[in-house]
Amino acid sequence: MMKIFDMKVATLATLIGLLLSGCSGDDGENGKDGDPGIPGKPGIPVATDAKALTVAVDTISVGAQSDITFTVTNEKDLPVVGLQNFGFILSGLEQGVEGDANQWKLLSSEACPASKYSKCGALVDNQDGSYTYRFEKDITSESAFTITDDKTLRLVLRTGGEAVGATEVSYANTHVDFSGQGEAAHYTKNVVNNQNCSSCHDDFAIHGGKYTEVETCAACHTDNKVSDMSKVFPMLAHEAHIGVISAPVGGCDNCHFENEQATDYANWKMVPTAETCVTCHSDVDFKEGVNHWPYADNSQCASCHTPEVIEKLHLATYQGQNERRANLHLTVTDAKMVSAPQADENKGTPGSYVQLTVDILDKDGNSRNEQLDKVNYLYYAEFYINWGGQDMGMGLGENVAAGRGKILRVHTNKGPYPGYSDKPIVLNYENGKTTYEIGPFEMEDEFEGDISDNYGIVTPRIWFCMDASGENIMDCDGQTDWSNGAAGYNWLEFFDNKGLLPERPRREVVTNELCGDCHGTTTSEDGFVQMTLNCRNCHSKAGDSEFHGTTCVSGNVDSEEQILLKNLMPRGERDWTTASNAAEECMACHNANVPPTQVIRDAHTKQGDKDYVEQLTMSHPDQKVWIHSMHANNRANQGGEGWRRNVEYSADLANCAKCHKGDSYDAKYLVGRKPLALDLDYMDTYTDPTNPINGRYAVDAKADAYVSPTAAVCLSCHGKRAAEAGEDRRQVRNEVIAHMKQNGAQFGVPLNEYSGEESCAVCHNLNNLKESHNLK
């Protein structure tokens, strides 16, 4: 027999009210008395407006007749009367049997006012901020769930979507889980919650913004509500993310991580079921026994697929990578810029040189006492070096390639491309420390003059070979499977003409944790966090084509020399990713001095196009431009219907704080920065008959025009509109270009015409940016 119960008011006030009432937002001032014309009980001041609503559930009784009472207040704790727009969901949590997971069952979903999608029961406004609602449905008629004293029930109450005074109040959901005895739930299922989702997404809102909590989705997308099993919440969530998320697919802990509310975050490995597994392993048919022996139910899944096995299969490459990385460290013990070379091989070439001293440390931090260029266990060991302070990169003008800095390739898996790779020249070896001299570096900058007193950066990229067990370092002899090896941790060091700098000299714009919220992170035993970023999604790899070794090729070339773009998709295994130090070390190459590559200029936008300069600007490799453009689908190789390079950015592009640390997006930081270099007239170098192969390399670029830095950064997000009928890609917003030019921005002007007189920061100061981007 179905039990009908009443929740005690006192219990609810202390328990549920505390759990679920939102922040009051008390501003320290007494609320104003209600306007005499506003409905309400005599003597009770009520709200005349509201920015947000807070809901406290007072009583619940469920059964053949289900009733709730609740109180609604505004941010000043004043009762809100006259509301008419509500949603009500009741669900029950059914215990899983035969290996099944515990599952929510929808008992009733109702809303007022009624519509073709939902019925409205009896709603009463008590004119004091409290409301009562009687469900239209007899929930005891739901055959999928039987209410008992110990089972968990969930009430979801939706508010918002209507005006209070002159303000339209946003939708919000409040949920409360309770037991059949009318007390706190003994157990509830929360595999993920909004905190998990908000690591990538901003405010979570679906179905027209009406539903704002993952708990609501789980309560409504149940197998007794939807006819298609793929729409049941666990399967729905998986299918919506597989192949789309920017972190490696195999990393279940990208979403399933522990927090205060996600008490069942480990269900992905604790409760394996065919229904959830097949959403990723789509080539398996458990019923028919395709790629897995047939099964009758889920009762035997956990026998083989233990938590340890599941974690190993999904995360072993990731966890093993961290373990293997710990076996070897390349550490820079000194770095400095010198005004003249000291190595005999360099003395014939004047200029400034970087002297870089490197030690090889074992897993205990002790020197291995080995000369770096003489060991055989490194598949590659490269150091990316640049100089120039906050605007890294020299060599504007004829030698733009120098803007990429220098790459010291001690061991390399790349070919010796002229002007791009450098032969390692050993200046000294002593007590395990190898000192290399690399250069020359040009100290004269077109815009800053002599930059000898500036500072530089150095960052490594290494891979070393190990045996299959991942325990012993082995020589890369061509027979050892180098894929058993490990990529070393990336780090970034700053140095000047005296040596390494003890503190970073430039502001921190992003952090590993902020980027890693979406892209995933790896963490060393000593707590060093790195973002998991697969650089090979953009850059070509060995064997692809003659484009291998150039910058940001973004694809392969077929026999007819047509560019075949690769998807911007994550790889499934984390050990095939590059652990990047929040992409900050990319500044060694990604800076204002490096024009868009030959591939961009040849394949995606051409001389004579009406938006040629704007397309190049938004496709610029400068760090502060390409990251914005990539996420906004504004690069020339993005933004077309079905294009493979498009990015499904999961948050609001206007939310600068999603990626930026503090107020680092303040436009004042762009004032006085270098303009971005462009190579507009590229055809001569591309068709150079004396150099038909290297003529295709990105390093052939020579700057002949410039773009204002603030305009370029703002254009990277604001530069394009959606395609309309008959247009195959997103279109440049000419009104934005005109606005920027009116305020001093210059696009594609020669060096002698560049003035650098942008006035953007005058109006678009920090407060304006926060207001226009809806940042608090």
Side-chain angles (χ1 to χ4, degrees), residues 365-609:
N366 301 316
S367 176
R368 291 174 61 98
N369 292 313
E370 297 171 312
Q371 186 169 328
L372 177 58
D373 52 286
K374 291 186 177 182
V375 301
N376 296 315
Y377 48 75
L378 285 168
Y379 183 66
Y380 54 74
E382 303 166 347
F383 294 86
Y384 291 73
I385 308 166
N386 211 332
W387 182 270
Q390 65 177 3
D391 282 311
M392 291 292 169
M394 300 76 66
L396 283 173
E398 287 297 307
N399 188 23
V400 173
R404 294 188 176 86
K406 297 287 185 178
I407 303 176
L408 171 61
R409 286 183 168 138
V410 182
H411 294 268
T412 181
N413 61 328
K414 295 181 180 290
Y417 297 100
Y420 192 64
S421 297
D422 296 276
K423 179 182 178 181
I425 295 176
V426 178
L427 181 63
N428 184 50
Y429 172 73
E430 184 178 1
N431 298 326
K433 296 179 175 62
T434 312
T435 300
Y436 297 94
E437 189 171 79
I438 179 172
F441 285 83
E442 176 60 55
M443 291 293 107
E444 282 297 318
D445 186 89
E446 294 279 6
F447 297 95
E448 297 185 21
D450 188 347
I451 56 174
S452 299
D453 292 332
N454 223 311
Y455 63 87
I457 59 173
V458 56
T459 183
R461 179 175 175 267
I462 70 170
W463 189 283
F464 54 92
C465 296
M466 301 191 72
D467 60 15
S469 69
E471 296 179 356
N472 301 300
I473 296 174
M474 297 185 66
D475 287 349
C476 302
D477 55 8
Q479 311 219 349
T480 302
D481 185 359
W482 70 269
S483 66
N484 292 325
Y489 276 106
N490 286 28
W491 37 255
L492 189 67
E493 294 281 5
F494 296 90
F495 64 95
D496 61 12
N497 50 19
K498 298 181 179 64
L500 290 178
L501 296 173
E503 297 182 359
R504 56 178 296 125
R506 62 180 282 130
R507 64 193 174 92
E508 192 171 24
V509 178
V510 293
T511 66
N512 295 340
E513 290 82 358
L514 284 169
C515 295
D517 280 343
C518 274
H519 290 282
T521 57
T522 60
T523 306
S524 64
E525 289 184 358
D526 59 359
F528 181 52
V529 179
Q530 295 212 305
M531 174 180 61
T532 301
L533 177 68
N534 185 4
C535 298
R536 289 301 181 214
N537 280 331
C538 286
H539 293 263
S540 62
K541 56 185 178 180
D544 280 353
S545 70
E546 69 267 31
F547 283 106
H548 169 55
T550 68
T551 58
C552 208
V553 169
S554 306
N556 310 332
V557 176
D558 66 11
S559 58
E560 297 180 358
E561 296 190 346
Q562 296 296 312
I563 294 176
L564 305 177
L565 295 179
K566 294 189 291 184
N567 284 327
L568 276 171
M569 301 288 282
R571 299 188 182 188
E573 297 181 353
R574 293 189 178 193
D575 62 342
W576 293 103
T577 62
T578 298
S580 170
N581 186 21
E584 194 172 29
E585 71 272 18
C586 301
M587 293 182 302
C589 294
H590 286 268
N591 54 68
N593 295 32
V594 185
T597 65
Q598 183 72 56
V599 176
I600 290 290
R601 288 176 282 133
D602 181 42
H604 304 296
T605 184
K606 296 178 174 60
Q607 286 176 302
D609 291 348

Side-chain angles (χ1 to χ4, degrees), residues 255-324:
C255 299
H256 295 279
F257 58 84
E258 185 177 9
N259 60 58
E260 295 83 354
Q261 286 78 41
T263 52
D264 295 332
Y265 76 97
N267 264 28
W268 67 274
K269 61 182 178 180
M270 301 296 293
V271 188
T273 65
E275 295 79 18
T276 53
C277 293
V278 76
T279 56
C280 288
H281 301 281
S282 56
D283 60 340
V284 176
D285 188 323
F286 292 98
K287 295 292 185 183
E288 299 297 327
V290 178
N291 293 323
H292 193 285
W293 52 80
Y295 83 104
D297 52 41
N298 291 316
S299 59
Q300 299 301 313
C301 295
S303 300
C304 296
H305 300 282
T306 63
E308 293 76 19
V309 168
I310 294 174
E311 181 169 337
K312 180 179 180 180
L313 290 173
H314 288 82
L315 300 183
T317 53
Y318 157 51
Q319 295 172 340
Q321 179 67 212
N322 281 340
E323 293 173 0
R324 294 193 293 269

Side-chain angles (χ1 to χ4, degrees), residues 394-404 418-420 550-551 591-602 612 616 620-621 677-688 691 694-706:
M394 300 76 66
L396 283 173
E398 287 297 307
N399 188 23
V400 173
R404 294 188 176 86
Y420 192 64
T550 68
T551 58
N591 54 68
N593 295 32
V594 185
T597 65
Q598 183 72 56
V599 176
I600 290 290
R601 288 176 282 133
D602 181 42
Y612 179 51
L616 288 182
H620 204 283
L678 298 180
D679 178 12
L680 301 183
D681 186 16
Y682 66 89
M683 298 302 288
D684 290 341
T685 56
Y686 175 67
T687 58
D688 183 356
N691 194 11
N694 282 346
R696 293 190 66 95
Y697 289 126
V699 296
D700 68 350
K702 295 181 180 179
D704 55 23
Y706 300 91

